[in-house]
Amino acid sequence: MLSFSSALLALAACAITVVHSAPTVTDDDILQYALTLEHLESAFYSGALEKLKASDFAAGGEQHALFEQIAGHEAAHVSLLQTVLGDKATKACNYSFPYTDVQSFKALAQVLEGVGVTAYLGAAQYITNPAYLTAAGAILTTEARHAAWLASTNSKDPWSGPYDTPLGFSQVYSLAAGFITGCPESNPKLPVTAFPALTAANSTDLKSGQSLTLTVPGDFKAGNGSVYVAFLNGLTPIFVPYTTNQSVTIPSGINATGTVYAVLTSSNATVTDENTLAGPAILMFNPQYPSGVVTGSSTGGGSGMPGTDGNGNTINSDGSTTGSGTGAASSVALSSTIVVFTVALTFLALV
Ligand SMILES: *[C@@H]1O[C@H](CO)[C@@H](O)[C@H](O)[C@H]1NC(C)=O
Ligand SMILES: *[C@@H]1O[C@H](CO)[C@@H](O)[C@H](O)[C@H]1NC(C)=O
Ligand SMILES: *[C@@H]1O[C@H](CO)[C@@H](O)[C@H](O)[C@H]1NC(C)=O
Ligand SMILES: *[C@@H]1O[C@H](CO)[C@@H](O)[C@H](O)[C@H]1NC(C)=O
Ligand SMILES: *[C@@H]1O[C@H](CO)[C@@H](O)[C@H](O)[C@H]1NC(C)=O
Ligand SMILES: *[C@@H]1O[C@H](CO)[C@@H](O)[C@H](O)[C@H]1NC(C)=O
C-alpha cells in the first residue's frame, strides 16, 4: 500500500505550489494568532445573538438554536487557547461588524467562517507541537462545518471545490483587521502586517472567462514592474498578468463553486506574504446547482447593508433590493458584505 506520506510527496512534486513564507513564528505566535481570530468570531456571534431576536430567524427559531451552538463552539475555542497560553493570552479587542439584520449577519458569518478555515489551514505547516496540531485540526474541521452549513443556508454551494484554500498569516490578518477597531495595548504583537485592500468591482456570481476589474487604493500603479493577480482556490494558485487597465479575465482553470481569494503578487510562481502586494479580495463564484436544490431558509428581504468605514461613519451600500427569493437576496447581502469589507480595509491601508 502506498503510504500516506509517499502519496503526499508525490502530490507535492506535481501540484502543490502554495508556500506562504518561512516566517520565524513560534507555536505561541500561532496560538496567539488563532486566539485573535477566535476572539473576533466569538464576539461576532455573541453580539449578534444579543441584537437579533430568535423570532427573526427562519424555521421557527431552529436556526437561531444552531447559531447558539456555533457561538458556544467559538467561545470554547477561545477558552481552550486561553488555557494553553495562560497569562500571556492575547485579550479580546473592540470590533465593528457591518450587519443590520439576520440576512446580512448570515452573509457575514459565511465570510468569517471561510476566513477561519483558510487561517488554520495556512498555519498548519508551521505548528511544531503535535498536540497543538491535532487541536488546530479539530477546530479547523469544525469551522469548515460551520462554513458549509452557512453557505447552504445562504443558498450557496456548501464547498468551494475539492480543496480549501490555505492563506498566510498576513493575508488572513488583512481580512480580519477590517473588523478590529481597537486592541488593548498590552496584547502581544503578532508577526503580521495588513496589506493594502484589493477591491473587486464585481465580486459575486463570477465565472471563468468573465472580465473582472480589481483596484488598489492610493497611488499603486499596475505595470510598475511585473504584477500578477493570483487566484487562490485550493492548493495551486493561477496567475494572470495585472495590466494597466486593471481588468483581468478570470482564467478557465478556476472552476470553483464558492469562495475564491485574489491577491496581487510580484511573482507568477508562488504566493508568499513577502510577494503579496495587495489583497486578498474575496470573490464568490456562481453556485452550480439549480436553484432550490439546497433548501436554505431565509427571512427574505435582502436590504443593503450599511457599514462603518473605521471612522465610525455609516456607509450606505447600494445593495438595497426587494428580495425576490432567497438566492438573489443572499447574493446581494454577500456582495454588500464584501463591499463593506473592502471599504474597511481601504481605510486601514490609508492610516
Ligand atoms: C473599547 O471600547 C470601549 C467602549 O467604547 C472603550 O472604553 C475602550 O477604550 C476600547 N478599548 C480599546 C482597546 O480600544
Ligand atoms: C458583473 O459581471 C456580469 C457578468 O459579466 C455583468 O453582467 C455585470 O454587469 C457585472 N457587474 C458589474 C458591477 O461589473
Ligand atoms: C513603483 O516604482 C517606484 C519607483 O521604483 C517605487 O518607488 C514604488 O514603490 C513602486 N510601486 C509599486 C507598487 O511597486
Ligand atoms: C485590458 O488589457 C488587456 C491586455 O492589454 C486586454 O486584453 C483587455 O481587453 C483590456 N480590458 C479592458 C476592459 O479594456
Ligand atoms: C468544471 O467542473 C465541472 C464539474 O466537475 C466539469 O464538468 C467541467 O468540465 C469543469 N470545467 C473546467 C474548465 O475545468
Ligand atoms: C513569469 O515571470 C517571469 C519572470 O519572473 C517571466 O519571465 C515570465 O514570462 C512570466 N510568465 C508569465 C506567463 O507571465
Side-chain angles (χ1 to χ4, degrees):
M1 197 181 83
L2 188 66
S3 76
F4 183 63
S5 61
S6 57
L8 269 185
L9 280 178
L11 191 62
C14 63
I16 302 175
T17 56
V18 172
V19 179
H20 289 116
S21 54
T24 49
V25 289
T26 62
D27 280 0
D28 268 11
D29 289 333
I30 296 171
L31 295 174
Q32 299 282 23
Y33 162 79
L35 181 53
T36 301
L37 300 174
E38 295 293 350
H39 273 312
L40 185 152
E41 286 186 296
S42 185
F44 169 68
Y45 286 110
S46 62
L49 291 174
E50 275 171 28
K51 281 183 205 134
L52 303 169
K53 294 197 297 286
S55 58
D56 292 339
F57 285 80
E62 278 172 32
Q63 213 174 58
H64 183 266
L66 286 176
F67 277 109
E68 285 185 324
Q69 289 187 29
I70 294 179
H73 299 168
E74 306 302 354
H77 298 166
V78 168
S79 301
L80 175 68
L81 291 163
Q82 283 174 329
T83 303
V84 175
L85 284 161
D87 288 346
K88 60 183 183 294
T90 198
K91 305 232 170 9
C93 299
N94 287 340
Y95 309 95
S96 173
F97 296 110
Y99 62 87
T100 53
D101 54 13
V102 169
Q103 184 95 25
S104 50
F105 157 69
K106 283 166 55 181
L108 183 53
Q110 185 187 333
V111 169
L112 291 179
E113 295 286 355
V115 172
V117 169
T118 69
Y120 280 95
L121 197 50
Q125 64 177 315
Y126 301 109
I127 301 174
T128 62
N129 180 325
Y132 295 170
L133 185 56
T134 303
I139 294 175
L140 166 60
T141 52
T142 302
E143 305 285 7
R145 289 164 200 271
H146 296 166
W149 176 68
L150 280 158
S152 296
T153 195
N154 287 336
S155 296
K156 297 288 172 188
D157 281 61
W159 39 73
S160 300
Y163 305 105
D164 278 319
T165 306
L167 289 182
F169 296 104
S170 290
Q171 292 168 349
V172 169
Y173 185 71
S174 300
L175 293 172
F179 301 107
I180 299 176
T181 56
C183 294
E185 286 290 329
S186 56
N187 274 1
K189 296 281 170 277
L190 292 171
V192 295
T193 49
F195 297 119
L198 183 64
T199 305
N202 208 350
S203 58
T204 56
D205 292 337
L206 299 171
K207 290 185 185 68
S208 62
Q210 197 171 320
S211 98
L212 178 67
T213 300
L214 290 162
T215 53
V216 183
D219 53 9
F220 181 93
K221 297 281 187 295
N224 188 9
S226 295
V227 180
Y228 302 90
V229 178
F231 288 89
L232 307 175
N233 174 252
L235 300 172
T236 310
I238 297 181
F239 297 89
V240 178
Y242 186 65
T243 56
T244 45
N245 65 16
Q246 305 184 333
S247 179
V248 294
T249 301
I250 299 172
S252 63
I254 298 285
N255 195 12
T257 57
T259 309
V260 174
Y261 299 89
V263 292
L264 288 194
T265 61
S266 57
S267 161
N268 62 9
T270 57
V271 178
T272 66
D273 279 353
E274 287 69 31
N275 67 29
T276 297
L277 304 172
I282 298 177
L283 308 175
M284 296 304 297
F285 276 57
N286 204 27
Q288 300 298 299
Y289 56 78
S291 81
V293 167
V294 175
T295 52
S297 31
S298 154
T299 52
S303 60
M305 193 173 38
T308 62
D309 68 356
N311 280 321
N313 302 317
T314 297
I315 298 161
N316 294 308
S317 74
D318 63 358
S320 49
T321 171
T322 48
S324 56
T326 56
S330 303
S331 171
V332 167
L334 206 53
S335 166
S336 306
T337 299
I338 292 166
V339 168
V340 171
F341 221 86
T342 50
V343 167
L345 293 176
T346 303
F347 167 75
L348 199 82
L350 298 177
V351 293

